[in-house]
Amino acid sequence: MTPYDATDDFLTARSLSPARAPLVDPFGRRIEYVRVSVTDRCDLRCAYCMPERMQFLPRAEVLSLEELSRVCTVFVGLGTRKLRLTGGEPLVRKGFMELVESISRHLRRGALDELTLTTNGTNLDRFAADLARCGVKRINVSLDTLNPETFRRLTRGGDLDKVMAGLDAADAAGLKVKINTVALKADNLADIPDLVAWAHGRGFDLTLIETMPLGVVDEDRTEQFVSLDQVRQTLASIWTLEGDAYATGGPARYVRLAETGGRVGFITPMSHNFCDTCNRVRVTCTGTLHTCLGQDDATDLRGALRSHPGDDAPLVEAIRGAIAVKPKGHDFHIARDARPSVARHMSTTGG
Ligand code: SAM
Ligand code: SF4
C-alpha cells in the first residue's frame, strides 16, 4: 500500500471551515464513533449472518486500502474519536496490517482515542502482536459456543482450535479481549452460563447479542431468536448481577457478576431499542455510509472518493449531508415469514 498521506488529507479536512464543526445529527447526538467494514468476505459462514452460498461483491466495488485509509482520516478530521475495523472478517483482507499502520498514526498524534476491531479470531494468532504494536488495545472476538462440533456446524466448517489459538495470542500480546456471543435459542441458549464462566475465568468480558433481521439467510430467524431478558434471568439465578456504569461507547448495557468480577454486556436491539444515545455510523467496504444499522438509509462516499482524488471537500459534504438526516432509530421486528427488516447482511454493513 502506498501510504496515503495522513497529514495532507487531515489538514485538508480541517482547513475547510465547515469541516471544523463536529458531526452532530438532528437529534443532538454527536457522532464520534465510526465502524468501517474492510471486506465483505469471510472464512466462516455463520448461519445467522450469511447464507451458505454467499454471493460476495466484485473486487472493483470494494474500496482500496488507500481509499479506506482516506475515509478514516477524513472522519478523524471531523471529530471521530473511535474507529472500529470490521467486516466480513477483517483479518482476511489482504494488506490489512498496512491499513492499521496507516490509521495508527492518528492514535500517536492524539487525534483518535481508540482503534479497535471485531474479528472471528480464526487468524488472530498471526496478527495479535502486530495489532498491539500499532496501538490497538482492545478487540472483540465473536464466539457463540465452546463445543467444537456446534462451532463447526454453526459456522459451517470453522475450527474452534484456531479461535482458541488466536485468543492465546491476544492474551500474550496484552490485548484486552471482549467476547461477543449471539444468543441462539436452539444452538447455545443452554450453554451461555458456561460461556460466561469460561470467559470470566480467562479475564474476558462477554457481550450477548440478540439476533437481528439483517439480510436473507438460509434459516428462519424466529426459530433462533431469544430475548436477552430471559438470559438475564437465567444468569441472575446463578450469579449476583450488579449494576455497572461501564460504557465503551457502544450499544451494550453492562452488569458485573459479583462472584466472578467479570462483566456481561447486553445488546438488545430487538427487545430494548438503544437508539437514544447512538453516536455511531458505519461505512461499508464499498464506501456506503449507513447512519443507522436498522434502516435502509445509504450515502455513497465512493463516488466522492474516486472522482476527487486530491480534494476531500466533496467527501466531507457527502458525510455532513448524511449526518444531517440520520434517522432517530430503527424499527426492527422479527416475524415468521417476514422479509428481513434490512436487506443487507451484517457482513456487508459491519458489526
Ligand atoms: N467476522 C467478524 C466477527 O464475526 O466478529 C466481524 C463481522 S461480524 C458481521 C460482527 C458481529 O456481528 C459478530 O459478533 C456477529 O456475531 C454479529 N452478527 C452477524 N450477523 C448478525 C445478526 N443477524 N444478528 C446479530 N448479530 C449478528
Ligand atoms: Fe463471518 Fe463474522 Fe458473519 Fe460469522 S458473523 S459469517 S465470522 S462475518
Side-chain angles (χ1 to χ4, degrees), residues 70-108:
R70 184 174 165 206
V71 170
C72 292
T73 299
V74 166
F75 268 105
V76 170
L78 293 172
T80 292
R81 302 299 310 181
K82 175 168 173 175
L83 269 173
R84 176 176 296 279
L85 302 178
T86 178
E89 173 47 38
L91 299 184
V92 303
R93 174 77 199 246
K94 213 163 161 233
F96 177 72
M97 277 318 299
E98 293 169 51
L99 177 65
V100 172
E101 273 175 32
S102 166
I103 298 170
S104 70
R105 62 192 185 257
H106 302 307
L107 287 172
R108 286 194 296 276

Side-chain angles (χ1 to χ4, degrees), residues 41-46 48-50 87-89 120 142 347:
R41 283 158 204 267
C42 188
D43 54 336
L44 301 182
R45 297 284 184 281
C46 301
Y48 52 79
C49 179
M50 52 172 87
E89 173 47 38
N120 63 27
S142 302
S347 57

Side-chain angles (χ1 to χ4, degrees), residues 137-311:
K137 297 209 165 9
R138 299 189 308 147
I139 57 170
N140 288 358
V141 179
S142 302
L143 184 61
D144 303 324
T145 177
L146 293 174
N147 179 316
E149 273 319 305
T150 310
F151 184 82
R152 192 177 304 283
R153 183 169 46 77
L154 254 180
T155 59
R156 300 187 180 108
D159 179 357
L160 184 62
D161 285 345
K162 287 172 74 180
V163 182
M164 292 301 165
L167 289 170
D168 291 344
D171 253 350
L175 295 171
K176 188 155 173 47
V177 172
K178 181 165 74 67
I179 303 292
N180 276 354
T181 302
V182 177
L184 302 163
K185 195 187 283 176
D187 291 312
N188 70 5
L189 184 55
D191 302 331
I192 288 176
D194 286 347
L195 254 172
V196 170
W198 165 82
H200 288 186
R202 290 208 50 168
F204 307 149
D205 290 341
L206 181 144
T207 292
L208 294 161
I209 308 172
E210 286 176 351
T211 177
M212 290 176 264
L214 298 170
V216 174
V217 290
D218 299 330
E219 61 180 34
D220 179 352
R221 283 196 178 91
T222 48
E223 308 283 350
Q224 287 278 27
F225 176 74
V226 52
S227 163
L228 291 187
D229 287 344
Q230 185 187 333
V231 182
R232 197 183 171 113
Q233 277 177 20
T234 306
L235 299 183
S237 70
I238 305 170
W239 290 288
T240 314
L241 275 48
E242 297 175 337
D244 191 330
Y246 180 70
T248 58
R253 300 289 167 265
Y254 287 89
V255 295
R256 189 182 283 281
L257 305 192
E259 293 81 358
T260 66
R263 294 189 186 96
V264 178
F266 298 88
I267 299 186
T268 54
M270 308 301 295
S271 58
H272 304 278
N273 158 323
F274 49 54
C275 304
D276 284 355
T277 54
C278 178
N279 61 348
R280 291 172 295 288
V281 296
R282 293 173 159 83
V283 180
T284 70
C285 59
T286 57
T288 303
L289 173 61
H290 294 292
T291 59
C292 178
L293 177 63
Q295 298 280 356
D296 277 321
D297 77 290
T299 301
D300 173 51
L301 303 182
R302 190 178 58 194
L305 271 166
R306 292 192 175 166
S307 339
H308 304 275
D311 178 11

